[in-house]
Amino acid sequence: MNHHHYIEYACKLAVENVTSGKGGPFGAVIVRDGEIVGQGTNLVTSLHDPTAHAEIQAIRDATSNLGHYELEECIIYSSCEPCPMCLGAIYWARPKALYFAYTKKDAAAIGFDDDFIYQEIEKPYEKRKIHTVQLRDKETSDPMKAWMQQEDRAEY
């Protein structure tokens, strides 16, 4: 498989995204058996959606095209090292590999610095920048118990 071909494709998507004014300088492609099964670009500003990152858009496209929520036989190619949200989504999608062109340091150098998110994740709730509180008592519905009691649940 020509990994450089798909990295270049992802980077060209990112450049086209910038020049079209649709969003940031990020593109992603998902490939299975040498065929592109999903692609995406950063559409945060045009969709008014903070989750519309290139990798998320590509995962949504690929899973929709494949009719399954996992990408086990797929490879993700991204123009840039994924942010924490995208990296989490990638792990949940379970591809066999991830390749990227530019690093998170390259992204930080042009104003896309995600390092604070990595730092926030490690902090205790009461020290986070966003007020974060676990709120549950004995009257709170129990979705965890409902899940465990559901006999026909789809494990993922």
Side-chain angles (χ1 to χ4, degrees):
M1 181 171 296
N2 187 348
H3 300 300
H4 293 284
H5 168 76
Y6 297 112
I7 281 292
E8 178 60 19
Y9 189 91
C11 288
K12 281 185 177 180
L13 283 176
V15 169
E16 290 170 7
N17 198 54
V18 170
T19 58
S20 72
K22 291 182 182 176
F26 306 103
V29 179
I30 300 177
V31 177
R32 183 176 75 177
D33 298 326
E35 178 186 347
I36 295 174
V37 296
Q39 65 184 36
T41 57
N42 179 288
L43 299 175
V44 169
T45 56
S46 58
L47 293 181
H48 312 289
D49 179 355
T51 69
H53 289 202
E55 296 88 349
I56 300 291
Q57 297 296 97
I59 289 169
R60 289 173 178 161
D61 189 35
T63 55
S64 177
N65 290 335
L66 296 173
H68 199 272
Y69 55 86
E70 290 182 346
L71 302 172
E72 289 181 339
E73 296 303 314
C74 298
I75 298 174
I76 299 179
Y77 297 89
S78 181
S79 63
C80 190
E81 185 175 358
C83 76
M85 174 184 68
C86 292
L87 188 59
I90 289 166
Y91 270 89
W92 283 119
R94 296 175 177 88
K96 66 181 181 180
L98 164 66
Y99 292 81
F100 61 87
Y102 293 87
T103 68
K104 60 185 176 183
K105 288 184 180 181
D106 296 321
I110 62 166
F112 294 93
D113 191 356
D114 299 323
D115 192 50
F116 78 96
I117 297 173
Y118 287 105
Q119 293 173 20
E120 286 290 298
I121 290 169
E122 294 299 318
K123 290 180 181 177
Y125 301 143
E126 64 276 1
K127 295 195 180 206
R128 292 183 181 174
K129 290 184 181 181
I130 295 177
H131 184 71
T132 305
V133 178
Q134 180 186 18
L135 186 59
R136 183 181 87 195
D137 59 32
K138 64 181 180 181
E139 301 301 319
T140 305
S141 296
D142 192 342
M144 309 299 169
K145 183 178 177 182
W147 173 257
M148 292 307 296
Q149 291 175 343
Q150 186 69 26
E151 292 181 19
D152 62 345
R153 66 183 180 263
E155 298 287 345
Y156 60 96

